[in-house]
mmCIF file of all heavy atoms in Angstrom:
data_model
loop_
_atom_site.group_PDB
_atom_site.id
_atom_site.type_symbol
_atom_site.label_atom_id
_atom_site.label_comp_id
_atom_site.label_asym_id
_atom_site.label_seq_id
_atom_site.Cartn_x
_atom_site.Cartn_y
_atom_site.Cartn_z
ATOM 1 N N GLN A 250 0.815 -1.217 0.000
ATOM 2 C CA GLN A 250 0.000 0.000 0.000
ATOM 3 C C GLN A 250 0.852 1.273 0.000
ATOM 4 O O GLN A 250 0.360 2.341 -0.367
ATOM 5 C CB GLN A 250 -0.936 0.001 1.208
ATOM 6 C CG GLN A 250 -1.958 -1.114 1.213
ATOM 7 C CD GLN A 250 -2.966 -0.975 0.080
ATOM 8 O OE1 GLN A 250 -3.355 0.117 -0.284
ATOM 9 N NE2 GLN A 250 -3.373 -2.098 -0.476
ATOM 10 N N GLY A 251 2.112 1.142 0.377
ATOM 11 C CA GLY A 251 3.000 2.301 0.422
ATOM 12 C C GLY A 251 3.216 2.948 -0.935
ATOM 13 O O GLY A 251 3.606 4.108 -1.007
ATOM 14 N N MET A 252 2.942 2.206 -1.996
ATOM 15 C CA MET A 252 3.153 2.802 -3.318
ATOM 16 C C MET A 252 2.154 3.913 -3.613
ATOM 17 O O MET A 252 2.347 4.695 -4.536
ATOM 18 C CB MET A 252 3.134 1.736 -4.416
ATOM 19 C CG MET A 252 1.775 1.242 -4.843
ATOM 20 S SD MET A 252 1.868 0.058 -6.191
ATOM 21 C CE MET A 252 1.707 1.106 -7.608
ATOM 22 N N PHE A 253 1.084 4.000 -2.821
ATOM 23 C CA PHE A 253 0.073 5.034 -3.030
ATOM 24 C C PHE A 253 0.273 6.260 -2.143
ATOM 25 O O PHE A 253 -0.523 7.189 -2.170
ATOM 26 C CB PHE A 253 -1.330 4.458 -2.809
ATOM 27 C CG PHE A 253 -1.668 3.369 -3.780
ATOM 28 C CD1 PHE A 253 -1.767 2.049 -3.355
ATOM 29 C CD2 PHE A 253 -1.866 3.652 -5.121
ATOM 30 C CE1 PHE A 253 -2.077 1.040 -4.245
ATOM 31 C CE2 PHE A 253 -2.162 2.641 -6.021
ATOM 32 C CZ PHE A 253 -2.271 1.340 -5.584
ATOM 33 N N VAL A 254 1.351 6.277 -1.373
ATOM 34 C CA VAL A 254 1.649 7.413 -0.505
ATOM 35 C C VAL A 254 2.619 8.329 -1.252
ATOM 36 O O VAL A 254 3.756 7.948 -1.506
ATOM 37 C CB VAL A 254 2.267 6.947 0.834
ATOM 38 C CG1 VAL A 254 2.647 8.147 1.691
ATOM 39 C CG2 VAL A 254 1.326 6.016 1.564
ATOM 40 N N TRP A 255 2.144 9.500 -1.601
ATOM 41 C CA TRP A 255 2.964 10.466 -2.329
ATOM 42 C C TRP A 255 3.267 11.642 -1.436
ATOM 43 O O TRP A 255 2.400 12.152 -0.741
ATOM 44 C CB TRP A 255 2.234 10.953 -3.572
ATOM 45 C CG TRP A 255 2.101 9.922 -4.640
ATOM 46 C CD1 TRP A 255 2.142 8.570 -4.494
ATOM 47 C CD2 TRP A 255 1.901 10.164 -6.014
ATOM 48 N NE1 TRP A 255 1.974 7.954 -5.699
ATOM 49 C CE2 TRP A 255 1.825 8.920 -6.661
ATOM 50 C CE3 TRP A 255 1.784 11.307 -6.773
ATOM 51 C CZ2 TRP A 255 1.634 8.779 -8.017
ATOM 52 C CZ3 TRP A 255 1.585 11.165 -8.136
ATOM 53 C CH2 TRP A 255 1.525 9.921 -8.742
ATOM 54 N N GLN A 256 4.492 12.098 -1.462
ATOM 55 C CA GLN A 256 4.943 13.222 -0.651
ATOM 56 C C GLN A 256 4.855 14.522 -1.448
ATOM 57 O O GLN A 256 5.731 14.810 -2.253
ATOM 58 C CB GLN A 256 6.389 12.985 -0.196
ATOM 59 C CG GLN A 256 6.606 11.717 0.586
ATOM 60 C CD GLN A 256 6.027 11.815 1.981
ATOM 61 O OE1 GLN A 256 5.972 12.881 2.571
ATOM 62 N NE2 GLN A 256 5.580 10.678 2.495
ATOM 63 N N HIS A 257 3.826 15.275 -1.291
ATOM 64 C CA HIS A 257 3.660 16.609 -1.873
ATOM 65 C C HIS A 257 3.975 16.670 -3.375
ATOM 66 O O HIS A 257 4.922 17.350 -3.789
ATOM 67 C CB HIS A 257 4.529 17.634 -1.136
ATOM 68 C CG HIS A 257 4.405 17.564 0.350
ATOM 69 N ND1 HIS A 257 3.256 17.938 1.009
ATOM 70 C CD2 HIS A 257 5.261 17.132 1.307
ATOM 71 C CE1 HIS A 257 3.418 17.761 2.310
ATOM 72 N NE2 HIS A 257 4.622 17.264 2.521
ATOM 73 N N PRO A 258 3.201 15.973 -4.202
ATOM 74 C CA PRO A 258 3.474 16.044 -5.647
ATOM 75 C C PRO A 258 3.196 17.450 -6.193
ATOM 76 O O PRO A 258 2.286 18.129 -5.733
ATOM 77 C CB PRO A 258 2.503 15.028 -6.243
ATOM 78 C CG PRO A 258 1.416 14.908 -5.237
ATOM 79 C CD PRO A 258 2.031 15.160 -3.898
ATOM 80 N N LYS A 259 3.999 17.861 -7.130
ATOM 81 C CA LYS A 259 3.815 19.149 -7.791
ATOM 82 C C LYS A 259 2.893 18.930 -9.007
ATOM 83 O O LYS A 259 2.819 17.825 -9.538
ATOM 84 C CB LYS A 259 5.160 19.696 -8.239
ATOM 85 C CG LYS A 259 6.087 20.016 -7.073
ATOM 86 C CD LYS A 259 7.372 20.604 -7.568
ATOM 87 C CE LYS A 259 8.365 21.008 -6.550
ATOM 88 N NZ LYS A 259 8.223 20.916 -5.213
ATOM 89 N N PRO A 260 2.200 19.964 -9.451
ATOM 90 C CA PRO A 260 1.271 19.797 -10.588
ATOM 91 C C PRO A 260 1.927 19.200 -11.838
ATOM 92 O O PRO A 260 1.336 18.386 -12.524
ATOM 93 C CB PRO A 260 0.767 21.220 -10.846
ATOM 94 C CG PRO A 260 0.914 21.923 -9.540
ATOM 95 C CD PRO A 260 2.125 21.316 -8.886
ATOM 96 N N TRP A 261 3.178 19.582 -12.122
ATOM 97 C CA TRP A 261 3.812 19.079 -13.333
ATOM 98 C C TRP A 261 4.202 17.606 -13.239
ATOM 99 O O TRP A 261 4.512 16.980 -14.250
ATOM 100 C CB TRP A 261 4.996 19.954 -13.749
ATOM 101 C CG TRP A 261 6.070 20.138 -12.730
ATOM 102 C CD1 TRP A 261 6.138 21.099 -11.777
ATOM 103 C CD2 TRP A 261 7.242 19.341 -12.576
ATOM 104 N NE1 TRP A 261 7.275 20.951 -11.022
ATOM 105 C CE2 TRP A 261 7.980 19.872 -11.494
ATOM 106 C CE3 TRP A 261 7.748 18.227 -13.231
ATOM 107 C CZ2 TRP A 261 9.186 19.341 -11.073
ATOM 108 C CZ3 TRP A 261 8.954 17.700 -12.807
ATOM 109 C CH2 TRP A 261 9.657 18.258 -11.735
ATOM 110 N N HIS A 262 4.185 17.006 -12.049
ATOM 111 C CA HIS A 262 4.464 15.570 -11.920
ATOM 112 C C HIS A 262 3.392 14.746 -12.634
ATOM 113 O O HIS A 262 3.647 13.618 -13.057
ATOM 114 C CB HIS A 262 4.524 15.149 -10.452
ATOM 115 C CG HIS A 262 5.719 15.675 -9.736
ATOM 116 N ND1 HIS A 262 5.710 15.934 -8.383
ATOM 117 C CD2 HIS A 262 6.961 15.993 -10.159
ATOM 118 C CE1 HIS A 262 6.896 16.384 -8.007
ATOM 119 N NE2 HIS A 262 7.665 16.424 -9.075
ATOM 120 N N TRP A 263 2.183 15.286 -12.751
ATOM 121 C CA TRP A 263 1.068 14.547 -13.345
ATOM 122 C C TRP A 263 1.186 14.467 -14.870
ATOM 123 O O TRP A 263 0.454 13.724 -15.506
ATOM 124 C CB TRP A 263 -0.256 15.205 -12.945
ATOM 125 C CG TRP A 263 -0.440 15.201 -11.461
ATOM 126 C CD1 TRP A 263 -0.154 16.227 -10.602
ATOM 127 C CD2 TRP A 263 -0.885 14.118 -10.652
ATOM 128 N NE1 TRP A 263 -0.421 15.850 -9.307
ATOM 129 C CE2 TRP A 263 -0.870 14.562 -9.300
ATOM 130 C CE3 TRP A 263 -1.310 12.820 -10.931
ATOM 131 C CZ2 TRP A 263 -1.259 13.748 -8.244
ATOM 132 C CZ3 TRP A 263 -1.695 12.025 -9.867
ATOM 133 C CH2 TRP A 263 -1.661 12.477 -8.543
ATOM 134 N N VAL A 264 2.107 15.215 -15.455
ATOM 135 C CA VAL A 264 2.259 15.254 -16.909
ATOM 136 C C VAL A 264 3.070 14.074 -17.431
ATOM 137 O O VAL A 264 3.009 13.742 -18.606
ATOM 138 C CB VAL A 264 2.920 16.595 -17.320
ATOM 139 C CG1 VAL A 264 3.145 16.683 -18.804
ATOM 140 C CG2 VAL A 264 2.077 17.761 -16.852
ATOM 141 N N SER A 265 3.785 13.396 -16.584
ATOM 142 C CA SER A 265 4.703 12.340 -17.006
ATOM 143 C C SER A 265 4.041 11.280 -17.877
ATOM 144 O O SER A 265 4.589 10.880 -18.906
ATOM 145 C CB SER A 265 5.333 11.688 -15.775
ATOM 146 O OG SER A 265 6.229 10.690 -16.163
ATOM 147 N N GLY A 266 2.878 10.813 -17.479
ATOM 148 C CA GLY A 266 2.187 9.795 -18.283
ATOM 149 C C GLY A 266 1.815 10.303 -19.656
ATOM 150 O O GLY A 266 1.857 9.564 -20.648
ATOM 151 N N LEU A 267 1.461 11.581 -19.746
ATOM 152 C CA LEU A 267 1.149 12.168 -21.049
ATOM 153 C C LEU A 267 2.387 12.207 -21.939
ATOM 154 O O LEU A 267 2.304 11.997 -23.153
ATOM 155 C CB LEU A 267 0.581 13.574 -20.879
ATOM 156 C CG LEU A 267 -0.734 13.673 -20.108
ATOM 157 C CD1 LEU A 267 -1.136 15.125 -19.917
ATOM 158 C CD2 LEU A 267 -1.832 12.890 -20.810
ATOM 159 N N LEU A 268 3.540 12.452 -21.335
ATOM 160 C CA LEU A 268 4.784 12.435 -22.104
ATOM 161 C C LEU A 268 5.050 11.043 -22.665
ATOM 162 O O LEU A 268 5.555 10.899 -23.782
ATOM 163 C CB LEU A 268 5.957 12.876 -21.232
ATOM 164 C CG LEU A 268 5.931 14.327 -20.755
ATOM 165 C CD1 LEU A 268 7.079 14.587 -19.780
ATOM 166 C CD2 LEU A 268 5.975 15.280 -21.910
ATOM 167 N N GLY A 269 4.680 10.012 -21.896
ATOM 168 C CA GLY A 269 4.855 8.637 -22.361
ATOM 169 C C GLY A 269 4.081 8.361 -23.640
ATOM 170 O O GLY A 269 4.547 7.617 -24.510
ATOM 171 N N VAL A 270 2.912 8.962 -23.776
ATOM 172 C CA VAL A 270 2.130 8.804 -25.013
ATOM 173 C C VAL A 270 2.927 9.351 -26.192
ATOM 174 O O VAL A 270 3.039 8.703 -27.236
ATOM 175 C CB VAL A 270 0.761 9.519 -24.895
ATOM 176 C CG1 VAL A 270 0.037 9.535 -26.230
ATOM 177 C CG2 VAL A 270 -0.096 8.852 -23.829
ATOM 178 N N GLY A 271 3.506 10.520 -26.011
ATOM 179 C CA GLY A 271 4.324 11.098 -27.077
ATOM 180 C C GLY A 271 5.549 10.265 -27.385
ATOM 181 O O GLY A 271 5.908 10.067 -28.550
ATOM 182 N N VAL A 272 6.196 9.754 -26.349
ATOM 183 C CA VAL A 272 7.400 8.934 -26.537
ATOM 184 C C VAL A 272 7.084 7.700 -27.371
ATOM 185 O O VAL A 272 7.732 7.430 -28.387
ATOM 186 C CB VAL A 272 8.014 8.520 -25.178
ATOM 187 C CG1 VAL A 272 9.096 7.468 -25.362
ATOM 188 C CG2 VAL A 272 8.561 9.726 -24.442
ATOM 189 N N VAL A 273 6.078 6.941 -26.952
ATOM 190 C CA VAL A 273 5.764 5.692 -27.652
ATOM 191 C C VAL A 273 5.299 5.971 -29.076
ATOM 192 O O VAL A 273 5.762 5.335 -30.033
ATOM 193 C CB VAL A 273 4.706 4.869 -26.872
ATOM 194 C CG1 VAL A 273 4.249 3.673 -27.686
ATOM 195 C CG2 VAL A 273 5.284 4.409 -25.535
ATOM 196 N N THR A 274 4.407 6.932 -29.248
ATOM 197 C CA THR A 274 3.892 7.235 -30.584
ATOM 198 C C THR A 274 5.006 7.685 -31.518
ATOM 199 O O THR A 274 5.104 7.208 -32.655
ATOM 200 C CB THR A 274 2.794 8.321 -30.503
ATOM 201 O OG1 THR A 274 1.754 7.854 -29.649
ATOM 202 C CG2 THR A 274 2.227 8.633 -31.866
ATOM 203 N N CYS A 275 5.850 8.594 -31.058
ATOM 204 C CA CYS A 275 6.944 9.084 -31.902
ATOM 205 C C CYS A 275 7.966 7.997 -32.208
ATOM 206 O O CYS A 275 8.472 7.917 -33.333
ATOM 207 C CB CYS A 275 7.612 10.286 -31.248
ATOM 208 S SG CYS A 275 6.566 11.750 -31.193
ATOM 209 N N LEU A 276 8.276 7.157 -31.231
ATOM 210 C CA LEU A 276 9.222 6.067 -31.483
ATOM 211 C C LEU A 276 8.673 5.063 -32.488
ATOM 212 O O LEU A 276 9.402 4.602 -33.373
ATOM 213 C CB LEU A 276 9.585 5.362 -30.178
ATOM 214 C CG LEU A 276 10.734 5.983 -29.419
ATOM 215 C CD1 LEU A 276 10.841 5.402 -28.021
ATOM 216 C CD2 LEU A 276 12.037 5.786 -30.162
ATOM 217 N N VAL A 277 7.402 4.728 -32.363
ATOM 218 C CA VAL A 277 6.797 3.785 -33.318
ATOM 219 C C VAL A 277 6.907 4.345 -34.731
ATOM 220 O O VAL A 277 7.294 3.639 -35.668
ATOM 221 C CB VAL A 277 5.326 3.480 -32.934
ATOM 222 C CG1 VAL A 277 4.578 2.820 -34.076
ATOM 223 C CG2 VAL A 277 5.275 2.608 -31.696
ATOM 224 N N GLN A 278 6.576 5.627 -34.894
ATOM 225 C CA GLN A 278 6.653 6.236 -36.227
ATOM 226 C C GLN A 278 8.106 6.353 -36.698
ATOM 227 O O GLN A 278 8.397 6.108 -37.871
ATOM 228 C CB GLN A 278 5.990 7.618 -36.209
ATOM 229 C CG GLN A 278 4.505 7.574 -35.999
ATOM 230 C CD GLN A 278 3.791 6.759 -37.063
ATOM 231 O OE1 GLN A 278 4.110 6.817 -38.248
ATOM 232 N NE2 GLN A 278 2.833 5.966 -36.637
ATOM 233 N N GLY A 279 9.006 6.739 -35.807
ATOM 234 C CA GLY A 279 10.415 6.859 -36.176
ATOM 235 C C GLY A 279 11.004 5.538 -36.633
ATOM 236 O O GLY A 279 11.713 5.478 -37.642
#
């Protein structure tokens, strides 16, 4: 359950998963 304990996340931390979409899509096309 400790994996769900986050210490003061900043708003931009939530963007990481969205970046993954760009990474995978661009790599597939490249």
Side-chain angles (χ1 to χ4, degrees):
Q250 296 294 324
M252 78 177 268
F253 298 110
V254 177
W255 290 23
Q256 302 287 329
H257 312 291
K259 295 182 178 359
W261 57 271
H262 290 151
W263 299 97
V264 178
S265 181
L267 298 176
L268 294 174
V270 172
V272 169
V273 173
T274 302
C275 292
L276 273 168
V277 165
Q278 292 302 319

